[in-house]
Amino acid sequence: MADQLTLEVATPSRFVIGEQVDEVVVPGIEGYFGVLPGHAPLLSTLGIGELTYRIGRDERHATVSGGFCEVRNDKVIVLADSAELPGDIDRARAERARDRAEQRLTGRSSEEVDYARAAAALARALIRLQVAARAQ
Ligand code: ATP
């Protein structure tokens, strides 16, 4: 058994993280789960949330939204619909997305509302703001 994990995070358009890490916490569709070296093989659908990875005592964070996570042979592969490191996140854009989604969900929008879509957009915006705040 290796004493570290290889973490790779990619989206359809870019490679976001490639690191040797000690621990990863992944936002699965049914909640967060932790992965340490020696973890049993696993395939999980991703939710919308914060991916946390630890290198020694250094804890780092990224957003992920949708996709899959595979754990096998001390390798954690995350293929996400979108993923951002704190420095990638445009806070003003996320604030606008949050405000739009809140307007739709609170009935202050004149258009017909797809509530599930608006709720997912709100969750993505809030996670982006949470992860961006960690960069400050
Ligand atoms: P928006 O309405 O602002 O486009 P969204 O939640 O609909 O937000 P997504 O469909 O999740 O956006 O993402 C589309 C692409 O834009 C992805 O590549 C994602 O990483 C990027 N992206 C979305 N919001 C931000 C942001 N606030 N800062 C940086 N990149 C972002």
Side-chain angles (χ1 to χ4, degrees):
M1 184 182 94
D3 60 0
Q4 281 197 310
L5 299 159
T6 301
L7 171 64
E8 293 182 356
V9 179
T11 73
S13 56
R14 69 189 189 111
F15 191 73
V16 181
I17 300 171
E19 296 269 16
Q20 290 299 115
V21 307
D22 294 298
E23 183 179 2
V24 188
V25 178
V26 181
I29 193 87
E30 287 172 0
Y32 283 82
F33 60 90
V35 182
L36 290 165
H39 198 287
L42 167 91
L43 185 61
S44 170
T45 306
L46 293 176
I48 297 169
E50 183 172 28
L51 180 129
T52 300
Y53 54 107
R54 184 175 59 76
I55 304 172
R57 301 176 77 168
D58 183 14
E59 211 175 71
R60 302 185 192 176
H61 306 271
T63 64
V64 293
S65 163
F68 297 92
C69 172
E70 181 187 45
V71 179
R72 194 158 56 94
N73 294 337
D74 289 315
K75 199 164 180 180
V76 181
I77 299 177
V78 174
L79 297 174
D81 294 339
S82 70
E84 298 104 25
L85 293 166
D88 300 328
I89 296 168
D90 177 340
R91 290 177 60 98
R93 176 175 167 181
E95 283 167 2
R96 287 194 301 273
R98 176 197 61 196
D99 294 348
R100 270 197 315 275
E102 281 178 351
Q103 280 190 355
R104 290 184 173 122
L105 291 169
T106 55
R108 284 185 281 129
S109 168
S110 51
E111 43 183 283
E112 197 168 316
V113 174
D114 178 338
Y115 283 94
R117 185 176 161 190
L122 179 60
R124 289 194 300 274
L126 292 177
I127 282 295
R128 285 178 176 129
L129 291 170
Q130 180 178 311
V131 170
R134 294 193 181 275
Q136 292 175 333

